Amino acid sequence: MSRLNLEQLRTFLAIVRLGGVRRAADTLNVTQPAVTSRLKNLEDTLGAELFERSTTGVRLTKRGELLVRYAERFEELAALVEKDVMDPEAVEGTLRIGVSETIAQCWLPELIAELHKAYPALVVEVNVDISVNLRAGLMGREIDLAVLLGPISDYSVNNVELPGFDLAWYRAVNAPEPEEGPAGYLRGPVVTYARNTRPYRELKAALFERYGAGVSIFPSSSLSACFRLVEVGLGVAALPRALGRQFVESGRLCEFDPGWLPAPLRFSASWLGEPQSHVAETAAKIARDVAERFAAERPSGDKNS
Amino acid sequence: MSRLNLEQLRTFLAIVRLGGVRRAADTLNVTQPAVTSRLKNLEDTLGAELFERSTTGVRLTKRGELLVRYAERFEELAALVEKDVMDPEAVEGTLRIGVSETIAQCWLPELIAELHKAYPALVVEVNVDISVNLRAGLMGREIDLAVLLGPISDYSVNNVELPGFDLAWYRAVNAPEPEEGPAGYLRGPVVTYARNTRPYRELKAALFERYGAGVSIFPSSSLSACFRLVEVGLGVAALPRALGRQFVESGRLCEFDPGWLPAPLRFSASWLGEPQSHVAETAAKIARDVAERFAAERPSGDKNS
DNA sequence: AGAGGTTACGGGCAGCGTAAGGATC
DNA sequence: GATCCTTACGCTGCCCGTAACCTCT
């Protein structure tokens, strides 16, 4: 029989973590028989069954449990080598990034550019979605790094906090000021982020508390659509000032102060600790740098920053 | 390019330890271009040169120095897996054992049998030689485990002390007793172990001290030849009682007491710590067990044990 | 010339994908 | 039938060995 092999161990870990040969095959981008074959070879070189096969899936044997620890150490070691001795130019593979739309509109291009500079041979896959979906994708190992609202408090997730985005209220240029002053705009339709997002929920709760159930909210899954909706006078919106400024400067929107402002949006870059990817970690740090540079160049608080 | 590979790392370490591609190829039992190729692949996946090539050989680069640590940890880890999770029946490969002739005549067969029982798939290669050559073979990585006289005091060598072999003096059955008593035998020719062995040197020194330069010593590289030489009356000999007893019992030799006896032969099982072979370690412990059983069954000291 | 390492090239085998084969719910 | 894993089988591509080459001492 052949000797111990890193690819076999990686495959073994994938089976353990995903709880099945089929799922391992999917995320490893090989066919399912290939995974069966690798597993069989590993079991042959070790001379022991690693899983109890059942029709519902596989379950680790005692020997398998033992091997997990060692396989993880092999994985850590391989990650360390990649980090410490590999030339970044030689780092290959795919990094699957998921970002919220706000990020996509603000500094995603800079992030991609920096990543490409750091790892020229790395393929970067981008996915724009709302945070709750990104979180699910991360936990399901469909993406490697997520930039989303709020840290993910899960023992297996690493988070890097990013500078917040201050929000501001925007209205159409020609919107007539209500009798009760700017705060009256909030009775009218309020455009905001999509349902199932944290800003949506917070805004809805705050408006409900202030004005009761009668307030009409227009959620939109597209951030730029939000701006357009405000521009054409459908309603007002609390959106990142970093994005709204250009509309104000070009005379398409007006900022106003109703006396209350939702809390800034706090993003974090999050990645799973378990498959030990130093690339994801480095990418998260690059994201932090890019975000901080963005915040410094475009201070989003006109008054209080 | 392909990914990191344990075989490449093993090859890398062999080149580092043996100081050259050619020598690595020899001990890895592959051709020299194969080693070149593995090295090149490793360098490609890391995107860095690991050695500075010169006509006189190779020398580690800075990156290479870095990698050595990691490669060693991979090696340790692989050894741990072999030790802790592999079924012993699945352990393959070759264990090259070197033993002194005394061991070969006493309990080598038992050792081989025990080893084969513990690792049925392991090929055991035996080499009988004098201790100084065994030591050289061990240091030169030509053998994996040596059972030889005295521990090897080198930082890279692990030693397991084995029970000693008491010696006894033997003479031919019909040898006339000298006028001065049994001690007079020692003036006559004394047969002993080969030149360049410790027993030879010690015996020669002791006899020289007692009887001056006139003593004639017959070194023999074959232990059984020693017994035969004594048997035919060429001289006397101080040899392991464990081996001599059968000659005495069959009436072919007599034991006598000249009032002085060389110190017991103290053997140790020694193996290199560096290529981290748990098989060699286990084999050394098996050797200790076998040796102790041998000593217990055949107590070599008739009087003082 | 001999010791070191690299390059060129053909063949064998490991490992992959496709397709078919159980087994259990 | 649906889901999961295994077996069978042909093919591709990697890696090895042979042989020729380069470069210093």
Side-chain angles (χ1 to χ4, degrees), chain A residues 1 32 53 115 123 129 134-135 195 198:
Chain A
M1 270 300 118
Q32 185 266 355
R53 272 76 159 177
L115 270 175
V123 174
D129 208 329
L134 294 179
R135 187 196 146 101
R195 271 182 219 289
R198 190 191 302 178

Side-chain angles (χ1 to χ4, degrees), chain B residues 95-99 111-112 115 124-127 143-145:
Chain B
L95 182 72
R96 300 162 301 177
I97 301 185
V99 297
L111 173 61
I112 307 277
L115 269 174
V124 180
E125 247 179 54
V126 176
N127 212 309
I143 60 182
D144 304 306
L145 176 70

Side-chain angles (χ1 to χ4, degrees), chain B residues 14-269:
Chain B
I15 301 174
V16 172
R17 289 181 178 145
L18 301 170
V21 173
R22 170 155 234 99
R23 272 165 295 202
D26 288 345
T27 71
L28 293 174
N29 288 322
V30 290
T31 59
Q32 184 266 358
V35 172
T36 294
S37 167
R38 288 186 195 173
L39 177 58
K40 186 162 166 36
N41 284 339
L42 180 58
E43 288 180 327
D44 281 353
T45 87
L46 294 178
E49 298 263 306
L50 297 172
F51 293 99
E52 287 167 6
R53 272 75 159 177
S54 76
T55 170
T56 161
V58 295
R59 223 186 54 216
L60 279 169
T61 61
K62 225 158 194 171
R63 279 285 174 84
E65 296 271 10
L66 253 181
L67 184 61
V68 172
R69 312 263 178 97
Y70 294 103
E72 282 170 348
R73 289 193 54 193
F74 271 107
E75 186 183 53
E76 287 168 29
L77 211 45
L80 274 180
V81 168
E82 192 176 73
K83 179 177 174 183
D84 292 349
V85 350
M86 233 173 144
D87 185 324
E89 300 214 1
V91 172
E92 302 191 339
T94 302
L95 182 72
R96 300 162 301 177
I97 301 185
V99 297
S100 300
E101 206 197 349
T102 307
I103 303 299
Q105 305 252 357
C106 288
W107 44 259
L108 179 65
E110 284 82 356
L111 173 61
I112 307 277
E114 289 284 325
L115 269 174
H116 184 68
K117 204 169 71 184
Y119 300 106
L122 190 71
V123 174
V124 180
E125 247 179 54
V126 176
N127 212 309
V128 179
D129 208 330
I130 61 176
S131 294
V132 60
N133 293 344
L134 294 178
R135 186 196 148 102
L138 188 68
M139 303 310 287
R141 293 166 208 278
E142 288 142 26
I143 60 182
D144 304 306
L145 176 70
V147 183
L148 39 59
L149 278 170
I152 298 179
S153 43
D154 186 295
Y155 73 99
S156 64
V157 176
N158 302 105
N159 295 286
V160 165
E161 304 270 348
L162 305 181
F165 286 89
D166 284 340
L167 300 182
W169 284 103
Y170 295 98
R171 61 168 173 82
V173 177
N174 57 2
E177 180 156 326
E179 297 173 3
E180 50 177 316
Y185 284 124
L186 304 193
R187 295 187 179 279
V190 177
V191 177
T192 186
Y193 285 80
R195 271 182 219 288
N196 294 327
T197 66
R198 192 191 299 179
Y200 171 83
R201 286 199 308 276
E202 287 184 358
L203 186 73
K204 186 174 176 187
L207 291 178
F208 185 84
E209 187 189 334
R210 276 181 174 66
Y211 306 103
V215 187
S216 68
I217 297 186
F218 279 63
S220 158
S221 67
S222 157
L223 202 48
S224 48
C226 288
F227 281 106
R228 297 293 313 282
L229 291 174
V230 174
E231 194 179 347
V232 302
L234 188 90
V236 298
L239 296 169
R241 181 176 279 129
L243 290 173
R245 177 181 295 113
Q246 56 182 317
F247 288 90
V248 174
E249 285 171 355
S250 62
R252 291 189 285 163
L253 288 181
C254 283
E255 198 176 323
F256 70 96
D257 179 7
W260 167 77
L261 201 62
L265 301 182
R266 300 210 61 93
F267 285 88
S268 72

Side-chain angles (χ1 to χ4, degrees), chain A residues 139-154:
Chain A
M139 302 310 286
R141 295 167 205 275
E142 288 142 25
I143 60 181
D144 303 307
L145 176 71
V147 183
L148 39 60
L149 278 170
I152 297 180
S153 43
D154 186 296

